Amino acid sequence: MRSYLTIFKQILVIIALFTIGIQAQATHLRAGEIIVERINCQSLTFRITVLVYTDMASGVLFGGGTLRLGDGSDPDDDGSKGFLIPDVSHTPRGDLGEDVGTASYSFVHTYGAPGKYIISYIEQNRNGGVLNMDNSLTTTFFIEAQILVDPFLGCNNSPVMLIPPIDKGCPGVAFFHNPGAYDPDGDSLSYELTIPKKDVGTTVDNYRDPNRKEFFNQFTYSNEDGTGDPTFSIDNITGELKWDAPGDLKYTGVSEYNVAFIIREWRKIGGQWFPMGYVVRDMQ
């Protein structure tokens, strides 16, 4: 029979291997968006940038996910539908909170013909502890943007956001976030809420808006003025996200929520409005 010491050592090895596996899966993605910039209006060449905000405490680098360009191409193998982004180191952003960092990857791509292209990025996994979806730690992070390439409508770039997608709210005080978006081409922008996704056409599991009663103590569940239930909305014209108001958390410490919204760009030509594309911001 094996000695208790031998069995104990084997148990420790199993625990160690299990812990290593958990650490390998522990990850970092808090928020992000895709920026599409046309390099030359006389060609179909674009600079595509995936910009993410990370949990640096995880020790996991951004990268290893799949970037799809919307035309079925791969810079390494034309038979593939995407390619892997290499690992990219983080830049600490202490101004946004403890253990928050940024990372980005840019790629120049030339499309073969005019058209409407949906560019997307998917990576394992989101950071853990997000309250308003199930199992955020094992949920893939997915963002997308659409760009219209049409010579009759002119040069087109995606909207750019100046305000980072990491923000903080306080109990009992109305929370506001504006992405500070503008369009390099002067196109008009509109905004709408959407549900964060984990893949193409697939939303995260059991998403709930952050104003749901389940997240707060019932006796402090109200808007800032104490005149009704909390609300969660976005202004379709200004892009101001409003949560009125966070309540006392029934969980200890800081809690995290993820939300997402779409910024659409519109161009008016000859009295008619044309949709030019959109960007999805997934924020925490």
Side-chain angles (χ1 to χ4, degrees):
M1 296 180 63
R2 292 176 296 175
S3 68
Y4 286 116
L5 179 59
T6 300
I7 296 173
F8 180 69
K9 288 180 178 180
Q10 291 175 339
I11 291 174
L12 287 180
V13 170
I14 293 172
I15 292 174
L17 291 174
F18 179 77
T19 302
I20 291 172
I22 291 294
Q23 290 175 343
Q25 295 181 26
T27 188
H28 55 304
L29 294 172
R30 297 180 181 272
E33 62 228 22
I34 295 173
I35 303 166
V36 186
E37 175 189 3
R38 192 162 183 176
I39 294 178
N40 187 333
C41 290
Q42 278 65 55
S43 71
L44 303 182
T45 302
F46 290 81
R47 178 180 291 107
I48 299 165
T49 301
V50 180
L51 174 63
V52 298
Y53 293 74
T54 65
D55 181 357
M56 295 187 65
S58 70
V60 181
L61 294 178
F62 160 62
T66 301
L67 175 64
R68 301 185 182 102
L69 302 172
D71 60 354
S73 67
D74 184 320
D76 300 319
D77 178 2
D78 289 339
S80 178
K81 293 186 177 181
F83 69 99
L84 296 181
I85 286 183
D87 288 346
V88 179
S89 60
H90 309 274
T91 300
R93 288 294 304 268
D95 57 316
L96 299 178
E98 185 179 0
D99 296 324
V100 177
T102 59
S104 66
Y105 179 82
S106 294
F107 177 77
V108 175
H109 179 67
T110 300
Y111 287 98
K116 187 181 294 183
Y117 300 101
I118 296 179
I119 302 160
S120 65
Y121 180 69
I122 185 170
E123 182 180 333
Q124 303 280 349
N125 297 307
R126 296 173 181 268
N127 68 303
V130 178
L131 294 186
N132 61 328
M133 68 177 71
D134 287 352
N135 304 316
S136 64
L137 182 61
T138 57
T139 299
T140 47
F141 180 82
F142 178 87
I143 48 178
E144 65 183 4
Q146 183 194 80
I147 193 77
L148 177 65
V149 183
D150 189 330
F152 297 103
L153 297 179
C155 200
N156 188 23
N157 299 270
S158 70
V160 176
M161 285 160 274
L162 301 177
I163 307 300
I166 300 289
D167 216 335
K168 298 179 181 180
C170 298
V173 180
F175 165 83
F176 299 91
H177 172 85
N178 194 300
Y182 74 95
D183 191 276
D185 308 308
D187 296 330
S188 296
L189 302 178
S190 65
Y191 305 81
E192 61 191 78
L193 288 171
T194 189
I195 297 176
K197 291 182 178 179
K198 62 180 182 179
D199 206 338
V200 178
T202 308
T203 59
V204 300
D205 294 335
N206 195 26
Y207 169 83
R208 290 93 75 207
D209 284 340
N211 63 323
R212 289 278 293 267
K213 185 175 293 187
E214 65 185 278
F215 300 124
F216 308 104
N217 294 324
Q218 186 172 352
F219 69 91
T220 56
Y221 182 80
S222 68
N223 56 26
E224 182 175 342
D225 295 331
T227 57
D229 288 344
T231 60
F232 179 73
S233 61
I234 194 168
D235 189 298
N236 300 120
I237 298 175
T238 67
E240 184 172 75
L241 189 69
K242 182 179 181 180
W243 176 10
D244 183 10
D248 287 342
L249 299 174
K250 67 179 181 180
Y251 303 93
T252 59
V254 176
S255 295
E256 298 172 346
Y257 302 84
N258 268 81
V259 300
F261 55 89
I262 302 172
I263 303 178
R264 299 189 186 275
E265 49 180 336
W266 304 85
R267 183 169 299 177
K268 192 175 185 180
I269 299 178
Q272 183 177 353
W273 289 100
F274 293 89
M276 300 296 292
Y278 62 82
V279 171
V280 175
R281 164 169 276 194
D282 190 311
M283 68 168 289
Q284 192 167 89

